[in-house]
Structures are given as structure tokens and as C-alpha cells.
Amino acid sequence: MDSNVKSVEVNPSKSIEVVKKPYYKATAKEIIVFEHAFKNRLPVLLKGPTGTGKTRFIEFMSHELNKPLITISCHEETSSTDLIGRYIIKGAETIWIDGPLTRAAKEGAIIYLDEIAEARPDVVVAVHSLTDHRKELYIDKLGETVKAHEDFMLVASFNPGYQRGFKELKPSTRQRFVGISFDYPDPKFEAEILVNETEIELGLAKKLVNIAVKIRNLTELGLTETVSTRLLVDAAKLIHTGLPKRIAVHAAIVEPLTDDIETVNALKDLCDLMI
């Protein structure tokens, strides 16, 4: 597999009992919808902004279902060859190496294509036959068709707000998936997430959440992305290990949002008043 494909396997079934259960706070009916999608062998599309818990959710569900998980972080160079497999030269031989999608189909793993719209179009074409009644993967270079294991599940994520007008998923592709929408949690739940993730005090967690809510509502700033729960967790971790609160907020929340100096300074002033 090329170096530009990141594949991480977590929760192998043989060692599931020693893997720490990922913390996840459900905000709607996403858990039960996913469980039923798995029972019916239906692919799932997780939709929502960056940092709203899509990746953590799929890690949590793989743990709950006791199934191995393979995660692929898609980008503009990710091709179907990266996912399906390729021939490589080993010594004097040319051998075939299965890609992560092929391995997942054969072994019955959950494969998670993070930000699938970022990948090259041939990736979407390659997974089509795994998302309908066929549940099979055609390997063109081998002239073979792999029937997916009964426990195989395809999950993809998509950020519609970020990619609108740039990289969209075609309706014909979206309709192959069961959709689950993610958004920023209710402030009460988001504060609870920060406490569980970082062990900071509840009062401080609420202040961080209030900052996030305020910035999320400042639509006039024209930010490409706004404050995610992930950024709040990062800030809370820095504070928990002793970094002064304002410095932590500046570094973990404000600076990642924009490079515009005036906007950075305005956000810093706002945050200083709130923490």
C-alpha cells in the first residue's frame, strides 16, 4: 500500500477484551441506527462538520460490535488501487498485496473511509458494488470478484458544509448509504464530554463550551470551519496539564480557526472576556 494511504486497525477481535472502550456520548439515535444497519448489511454515511465525533463514534461502534476496524483517511491522491491492492516486486518475484478494502471484505471488518469526497472518483466507483445487493468487490488486476464476508461493513464520512460547491457526493452515491447526521452537541452534553475526556472541572468545561457556542454564532467572521468539540478537548487537555487558561484557549481554539491577524486578535479578546 502506498505511503499516502493511512490504514489503522483497532479493536482486533482476538484482543477486544483488553482494548479500552472509547468514550462516546450519544446525542440522538445514532447508535441504534448503526446497529440496525449492521444487522442488515447496509453501508452507512456519517455526515457533519469536522470534529463532531464521527471518527470516535465509529471507533465506539466497532468496540460495541466486537469487530475489527480499518480506517482510511482519504485525500486527493487516494485511488482505488490504494484501497483494492497492487502487485509489488519482492526479490525475484512479483506478488499481489491486498489493499485495506479487499482485506476488510475478505475478513469481515468494518472499513471507514474518512472524508470519502476527498478521494479520487475511481474510489467511489470501486465501492459501488459493495453498497448494493451484490456485496462484492471486483479486482480488475486479478480478474477476480471477492464476495464480501457477512460481517463486512462499509462506513464513510462526509462534510457537506465544507465541501459544498467543491467536492460533492453525487446523489446516486449518497442514496446507496444509510445516513446519520452529526452536529455539535447540546452544551450540557458537550461539557460532559470535556469532563470525561480530560478530567477538567465542570465549571471550566462549561466556560469552554460557552466560548464555542459564541464563536459558532459569529457567522459574520466568514470562518471556513468553526470551533469543533475536538478543539475544545485539546484546549481542556492543555489546561488540565497546567497551561494557563487563556494561553490554552488561544493556542487550541483560536489559532487553528484562521490566519487572519485581525480575526485572530478579535477572537482572542472575546475569549479572554469569557474565561
Coordinates of all heavy atoms in Angstrom, one line a residue, residues 106-142:
K106 N -12.8 -9.5 2.8 CA -12.5 -10.9 3.0 C -12.6 -11.3 4.5 O -13.1 -12.4 4.8 CB -11.1 -11.2 2.5 CG -10.9 -11.2 1.0 CD -9.5 -11.5 0.6 CE -9.3 -11.6 -0.9 NZ -7.8 -11.9 -1.2
E107 N -12.2 -10.4 5.4 CA -12.1 -10.8 6.8 C -13.3 -10.4 7.6 O -13.5 -10.8 8.7 CB -10.8 -10.1 7.4 CG -9.5 -10.6 6.7 CD -8.4 -9.7 7.1 OE1 -8.5 -8.9 8.0 OE2 -7.3 -9.9 6.5
G108 N -14.2 -9.6 7.0 CA -15.4 -9.2 7.8 C -15.1 -8.1 8.7 O -15.7 -8.0 9.8
A109 N -14.3 -7.1 8.3 CA -14.0 -6.0 9.2 C -14.9 -4.8 8.8 O -15.6 -4.8 7.7 CB -12.6 -5.5 9.0
I110 N -15.0 -3.8 9.7 CA -15.6 -2.6 9.3 C -14.5 -1.7 8.7 O -13.5 -1.5 9.3 CB -16.2 -1.9 10.6 CG1 -17.3 -2.7 11.2 CG2 -16.8 -0.5 10.2 CD1 -17.7 -2.2 12.6
I111 N -14.8 -1.1 7.5 CA -13.8 -0.2 6.9 C -14.5 1.2 6.9 O -15.6 1.4 6.6 CB -13.4 -0.6 5.5 CG1 -12.3 0.3 5.0 CG2 -14.6 -0.6 4.5 CD1 -11.5 -0.3 3.8
Y112 N -13.7 2.2 7.4 CA -14.1 3.5 7.5 C -13.4 4.4 6.5 O -12.1 4.6 6.7 CB -14.0 4.0 8.9 CG -14.3 5.4 9.2 CD1 -15.5 6.0 8.7 CD2 -13.5 6.2 10.0 CE1 -15.9 7.3 9.0 CE2 -13.8 7.6 10.2 CZ -15.0 8.1 9.7 OH -15.3 9.4 10.0
L113 N -14.0 5.0 5.5 CA -13.4 5.9 4.6 C -13.7 7.3 5.0 O -14.8 7.9 4.8 CB -14.0 5.6 3.2 CG -13.8 4.2 2.6 CD1 -14.4 4.1 1.2 CD2 -12.4 3.7 2.7
D114 N -12.8 7.9 5.7 CA -12.9 9.2 6.3 C -12.8 10.3 5.2 O -11.8 10.3 4.5 CB -11.9 9.4 7.4 CG -12.1 10.7 8.2 OD1 -13.2 11.2 8.2 OD2 -11.2 11.1 8.9
E115 N -13.8 11.1 5.1 CA -13.8 12.2 4.1 C -13.7 11.6 2.7 O -12.8 11.9 1.9 CB -12.7 13.2 4.3 CG -12.8 13.9 5.6 CD -14.0 14.9 5.7 OE1 -14.7 15.0 4.7 OE2 -14.2 15.4 6.7
I116 N -14.7 10.7 2.3 CA -14.6 10.0 1.1 C -14.7 10.9 -0.1 O -14.1 10.6 -1.2 CB -15.8 9.0 1.0 CG1 -15.7 8.1 -0.2 CG2 -17.1 9.7 1.1 CD1 -16.7 7.0 -0.3
A117 N -15.3 12.1 0.0 CA -15.4 13.0 -1.1 C -14.0 13.6 -1.5 O -13.9 14.1 -2.6 CB -16.4 14.1 -0.8
E118 N -13.0 13.5 -0.6 CA -11.7 14.0 -0.9 C -10.9 13.0 -1.9 O -10.0 13.4 -2.5 CB -10.9 14.2 0.3 CG -11.4 15.3 1.2 CD -11.1 16.7 0.7 OE1 -10.2 16.8 -0.2 OE2 -11.8 17.6 1.0
A119 N -11.4 11.8 -1.9 CA -10.6 10.8 -2.7 C -10.9 11.0 -4.2 O -11.9 11.7 -4.6 CB -11.0 9.4 -2.3
R120 N -10.1 10.3 -5.0 CA -10.3 10.4 -6.5 C -11.6 9.7 -6.8 O -12.1 8.8 -6.1 CB -9.1 9.7 -7.2 CG -7.9 10.6 -7.1 CD -6.6 9.9 -7.5 NE -6.7 9.0 -8.6 CZ -5.7 8.4 -9.2 NH1 -4.4 8.6 -8.7 NH2 -5.8 7.6 -10.2
P121 N -12.3 10.1 -7.9 CA -13.6 9.5 -8.3 C -13.6 8.0 -8.5 O -14.6 7.3 -8.2 CB -13.9 10.2 -9.7 CG -13.1 11.5 -9.6 CD -11.9 11.2 -8.8
D122 N -12.4 7.4 -8.8 CA -12.4 5.9 -9.0 C -12.6 5.2 -7.7 O -13.0 4.0 -7.7 CB -11.1 5.5 -9.7 CG -9.9 5.8 -8.9 OD1 -9.8 6.9 -8.3 OD2 -8.9 5.0 -8.9
V123 N -12.4 5.8 -6.6 CA -12.6 5.2 -5.3 C -14.1 5.0 -5.1 O -14.6 3.9 -4.7 CB -12.1 6.1 -4.1 CG1 -12.6 5.5 -2.8 CG2 -10.6 6.0 -4.1
V124 N -14.9 6.0 -5.4 CA -16.4 5.8 -5.3 C -16.9 4.8 -6.2 O -17.8 3.9 -5.8 CB -17.1 7.2 -5.6 CG1 -18.6 7.0 -5.5 CG2 -16.6 8.2 -4.5
V125 N -16.4 4.7 -7.4 CA -16.8 3.7 -8.4 C -16.4 2.3 -7.9 O -17.2 1.4 -8.0 CB -16.1 3.9 -9.7 CG1 -16.4 2.8 -10.7 CG2 -16.5 5.2 -10.4
A126 N -15.3 2.2 -7.2 CA -14.8 0.9 -6.7 C -15.7 0.3 -5.7 O -15.9 -0.9 -5.5 CB -13.4 1.0 -6.2
V127 N -16.3 1.2 -4.8 CA -17.1 0.7 -3.7 C -18.5 0.5 -4.0 O -19.3 0.0 -3.2 CB -17.0 1.6 -2.5 CG1 -15.5 1.8 -2.0 CG2 -17.6 3.0 -2.7
H128 N -19.0 0.9 -5.2 CA -20.4 0.8 -5.6 C -20.9 -0.6 -5.4 O -22.0 -0.8 -4.9 CB -20.6 1.3 -7.0 CG -20.9 2.8 -7.1 ND1 -21.4 3.4 -8.2 CD2 -20.9 3.7 -6.1 CE1 -21.6 4.7 -8.0 NE2 -21.3 4.9 -6.7
S129 N -20.2 -1.6 -5.9 CA -20.7 -2.9 -5.9 C -20.8 -3.5 -4.4 O -21.4 -4.6 -4.2 CB -19.9 -3.9 -6.8 OG -18.5 -3.8 -6.4
L130 N -20.1 -2.8 -3.5 CA -20.2 -3.2 -2.1 C -21.3 -2.6 -1.4 O -21.6 -2.9 -0.2 CB -18.8 -2.9 -1.4 CG -17.6 -3.8 -1.8 CD1 -16.4 -3.1 -1.2 CD2 -17.8 -5.2 -1.2
T131 N -22.0 -1.6 -2.0 CA -23.0 -0.9 -1.3 C -24.4 -1.3 -1.8 O -25.4 -0.7 -1.3 CB -22.8 0.6 -1.6 OG1 -22.9 0.9 -3.0 CG2 -21.5 1.1 -1.0
D132 N -24.5 -2.2 -2.7 CA -25.8 -2.7 -3.1 C -26.0 -4.1 -2.8 O -25.3 -4.7 -2.1 CB -26.1 -2.3 -4.6 CG -25.1 -2.9 -5.5 OD1 -24.5 -4.0 -5.2 OD2 -24.9 -2.4 -6.6
H133 N -27.0 -4.8 -3.5 CA -27.3 -6.2 -3.2 C -26.2 -7.1 -3.5 O -26.1 -8.2 -3.0 CB -28.6 -6.6 -4.0 CG -28.3 -6.6 -5.4 ND1 -28.3 -5.4 -6.2 CD2 -28.1 -7.6 -6.3 CE1 -28.1 -5.7 -7.5 NE2 -28.0 -7.1 -7.6
R134 N -25.3 -6.7 -4.4 CA -24.2 -7.6 -4.8 C -23.2 -7.9 -3.6 O -22.7 -9.1 -3.5 CB -23.4 -7.1 -6.0 CG -24.2 -7.0 -7.2 CD -23.5 -6.2 -8.3 NE -23.5 -4.8 -8.0 CZ -22.9 -3.9 -8.8 NH1 -22.3 -4.3 -9.9 NH2 -22.9 -2.6 -8.5
K135 N -22.9 -6.9 -2.9 CA -21.9 -7.0 -1.8 C -20.7 -7.8 -2.2 O -20.2 -8.8 -1.6 CB -22.6 -7.8 -0.6 CG -23.7 -7.1 0.1 CD -23.3 -5.8 0.7 CE -24.4 -5.1 1.4 NZ -25.5 -4.6 0.6
E136 N -20.1 -7.3 -3.3 CA -18.9 -7.9 -3.8 C -17.9 -6.8 -4.3 O -18.3 -5.6 -4.6 CB -19.2 -8.8 -5.0 CG -19.9 -8.2 -6.1 CD -20.4 -9.2 -7.2 OE1 -20.7 -10.3 -6.8 OE2 -20.5 -8.8 -8.4
L137 N -16.7 -7.2 -4.4 CA -15.6 -6.3 -4.9 C -14.9 -6.9 -6.1 O -14.4 -8.0 -6.0 CB -14.6 -6.0 -3.8 CG -13.4 -5.2 -4.1 CD1 -13.8 -3.7 -4.4 CD2 -12.4 -5.2 -2.9
Y138 N -14.9 -6.2 -7.2 CA -14.2 -6.7 -8.4 C -12.8 -6.2 -8.4 O -12.5 -5.0 -8.3 CB -14.9 -6.2 -9.7 CG -14.3 -6.7 -10.9 CD1 -14.2 -8.1 -11.2 CD2 -13.7 -5.8 -11.8 CE1 -13.5 -8.5 -12.4 CE2 -13.1 -6.2 -13.0 CZ -13.0 -7.6 -13.2 OH -12.4 -8.0 -14.4
I139 N -11.8 -7.1 -8.5 CA -10.4 -6.8 -8.6 C -10.0 -6.9 -10.0 O -9.7 -8.0 -10.5 CB -9.6 -7.7 -7.6 CG1 -10.1 -7.6 -6.2 CG2 -8.1 -7.2 -7.7 CD1 -9.4 -8.5 -5.2
D140 N -9.9 -5.8 -10.7 CA -9.7 -5.7 -12.1 C -8.3 -6.3 -12.5 O -8.2 -7.1 -13.4 CB -9.7 -4.3 -12.6 CG -9.5 -4.2 -14.1 OD1 -10.2 -4.7 -14.9 OD2 -8.4 -3.5 -14.5
K141 N -7.3 -6.0 -11.7 CA -5.9 -6.5 -12.0 C -5.8 -8.0 -11.9 O -4.9 -8.6 -12.5 CB -4.9 -5.8 -11.1 CG -4.7 -4.3 -11.4 CD -3.6 -3.7 -10.5 CE -3.3 -2.3 -10.9 NZ -4.5 -1.4 -10.6
L142 N -6.7 -8.6 -11.1 CA -6.6 -10.1 -11.0 C -7.7 -10.8 -11.8 O -7.7 -12.0 -11.9 CB -6.8 -10.5 -9.5 CG -5.7 -10.0 -8.5 CD1 -6.1 -10.5 -7.1 CD2 -4.4 -10.5 -8.9

